[in-house]
Amino acid sequence: MLSALLAAGALVASASDAPNRAKPITNPDGTQATTLFVCGDTYVYAVQPDQIPNGEHMNNGIIWTFDARDVCFQMGLMQSNMDHVDDCKPIDNNERILITSSAHWAMIVDYATKKLEFWTKKCTNAHSAEMLPGNKIVVACAEGTDQLQLYDRTRNDELLHTVSLPAAHGCVWDDQRQRLYAIGKKKLGIYRLEGAETDTPQLVEEAAITTPKTGTHDLTRVDDHTLCVSGRNSYFFDLDTHTFTELTQFNGRTAIKSVNYNIKTNEAWYTDASNDEEDIYSWATQVVRHTSDPMGTTDDYTFTAPYYNLYKVRPLYWGGEEAAGVEAVSTDNTDAELPAEYFNLQGIPVANPEAGNVYIRRQGSTTDKVLL
């Protein structure tokens, strides 16, 4: 019998008015199971790939879903304005999500309640964003705006400052150096933040580094000394020497949308919209990929989303992390004395579960995925 602990709130949401809260699964050794944010179209999904066989559909691994259309009216937008979610960064110790869309908006959403806590609709082609000191937010606005925009998360849609960056696509704040790194076209800009605690903050450009390839698209943190720059091919960028080292796994790729590298385990989750056969640019993909050797040549695992236009993947939890402080699903033995409820994988109650089928079983505070 299968016994993978799953989040009841996410999988039986249609049968309950409770918030759709994805409680992360823990491994038998008490460490955290891999959990990813996957975003595209109007959605952000929390997905646990351990629940998805290699190459198969992500549906069985989804533990949480957010649809941007559910909060559009709070922003004064129509549902048709909420498409093309580009990025979905976990922030605030994984309690909130910083979401951007090339449909010209950015927002902060609470993970537990799905409540909208901040929004702006002033950034044309908002491709990514980052939290800065003093409750400030920087949004990378690509073609049509071509700038970095500064906001305060306590004041919706109030633009405080801009700085030019053609085709701005990615941004990362380095707390150790107190600097912002941002990419656009063939430029990696380095900026200091002035007046972080005031109502008149400013980004001041200190340096501009030329990247090995034009069409930079994604920028992520690797460690205290390294960033990862991706788009056409992918590279480590040394923050101390300002040099680039190519990740050979991505050589010749023309449309890398996201690369997330774990230096401790030498693995990466990524999305790639390249068309290898025709070598043309595409803006979305329907596959999330994993490699255990970014300096190698092949993937070792994928899962698919054939009905969605996916953009980026972001780790919420890397597999094997300590689960301390993570709200896990209860496994209290007293639950065994309570009556069990069964749901299908779409969260619909099943009164008479049949042998040979997979169900979600809720018994007290414990939820299991079971094969009867």
Side-chain angles (χ1 to χ4, degrees):
M1 181 178 70
L2 299 176
S3 60
L5 292 179
L6 297 174
L11 290 169
V12 300
S14 61
S16 172
D17 292 329
N20 182 346
R21 174 64 188 267
K23 297 180 180 180
I25 299 172
T26 54
N27 295 317
D29 63 358
T31 59
Q32 178 60 52
T34 300
T35 308
L36 309 171
F37 280 146
V38 178
C39 51
D41 290 340
T42 66
Y43 297 97
V44 178
Y45 300 98
V47 177
Q48 295 191 317
D50 289 349
Q51 310 301 311
I52 311 170
N54 185 24
E56 294 196 8
H57 197 295
M58 72 176 183
N59 275 2
N60 286 341
I62 295 174
I63 62 170
W64 181 92
T65 304
F66 171 76
D67 188 339
R69 291 174 296 185
D70 293 340
V71 298
C72 66
F73 299 118
Q74 293 174 250
M75 301 170 63
L77 296 173
M78 302 296 291
Q79 289 189 341
S80 58
N81 300 127
M82 307 310 291
D83 205 359
H84 300 299
V85 172
D86 288 344
D87 207 349
C88 44
K89 289 184 177 180
I91 61 171
D92 298 344
N93 196 31
N94 293 350
E95 293 181 0
R96 292 171 182 82
I97 317 169
L98 183 54
I99 306 171
T100 52
S101 166
S102 53
H104 319 318
W105 52 261
M107 65 173 68
I108 293 176
V109 173
D110 184 273
Y111 182 51
T113 65
K114 301 184 184 179
K115 289 183 178 179
L116 182 65
E117 295 190 350
F118 165 83
W119 57 267
T120 179
K121 51 185 180 180
K122 287 189 169 129
C123 177
T124 303
N125 284 316
H127 271 275
S128 192
E130 180 78 325
M131 293 304 306
L132 304 182
N135 275 330
K136 301 304 185 287
I137 302 170
V138 61
V139 184
C141 312
E143 291 79 1
T145 305
D146 294 301
Q147 61 187 205
L148 301 173
Q149 295 185 344
L150 272 181
Y151 296 88
D152 190 300
R153 71 186 293 177
T154 65
R155 305 203 294 274
N156 292 328
D157 213 29
E158 185 176 332
L159 181 58
L160 302 178
H161 175 72
T162 66
V163 61
S164 175
L165 179 60
H169 266 72
C171 44
V172 169
W173 175 257
D174 181 75
D175 197 56
Q176 177 176 302
R177 292 168 180 79
Q178 291 291 292
R179 293 296 183 269
L180 176 73
Y181 296 82
I183 54 171
K185 289 192 174 178
K186 204 174 180 181
K187 173 181 175 178
L188 192 160
I190 304 175
Y191 308 83
R192 70 176 183 273
L193 174 64
E194 296 182 350
E197 304 296 336
T198 72
D199 292 334
T200 57
Q202 292 188 7
L203 288 171
V204 178
E205 184 175 317
E206 291 188 336
I209 312 297
T210 300
T211 59
K213 296 278 189 178
T214 192
T216 52
H217 197 95
D218 191 47
L219 187 66
T220 53
R221 183 182 185 276
V222 174
D223 61 15
D224 289 342
H225 303 281
T226 315
L227 300 179
C228 185
V229 180
S230 306
R232 293 183 180 273
N233 297 7
S234 186
Y235 302 85
F236 289 144
F237 174 69
D238 191 300
L239 292 170
D240 300 315
T241 65
H242 291 182
T243 56
F244 294 88
T245 302
E246 184 177 356
L247 281 71
T248 56
Q249 165 77 356
F250 308 104
N251 180 266
R253 308 292 182 91
T254 58
I256 302 291
K257 296 302 178 180
S258 61
V259 175
N260 308 271
Y261 176 71
N262 188 330
I263 196 170
K264 296 179 181 178
T265 57
N266 190 40
E267 64 178 314
W269 288 98
Y270 71 100
T271 50
D272 178 14
S274 304
N275 185 318
D276 294 333
E277 292 182 0
E278 300 178 16
D279 194 29
I280 59 174
Y281 182 89
S282 179
W283 65 270
T285 182
Q286 295 183 334
V287 181
V288 174
R289 303 175 182 276
H290 177 272
T291 176
S292 296
D293 183 11
M295 290 300 183
T297 58
T298 60
D299 303 324
D300 57 13
Y301 172 83
T302 64
F303 63 83
T304 67
Y307 306 113
Y308 303 105
N309 294 306
L310 301 182
Y311 217 67
K312 295 191 178 182
V313 58
R314 298 297 186 206
L316 181 64
Y317 298 103
W318 289 96
E321 290 181 347
E322 292 295 328
V326 175
E327 184 182 3
V329 179
S330 171
T331 56
D332 192 335
N333 290 335
T334 60
D335 288 341
E337 303 172 4
L338 301 173
E341 303 172 275
Y342 291 88
F343 304 83
N344 65 19
L345 295 180
Q346 287 70 48
I348 300 173
V350 178
N352 299 300
E354 299 179 354
N357 293 324
V358 177
Y359 298 97
I360 304 303
R361 178 180 63 193
R362 184 171 65 187
Q363 194 166 13
S365 59
T366 300
T367 300
D368 302 274
K369 184 178 181 182
V370 295
L371 174 65
L372 297 182

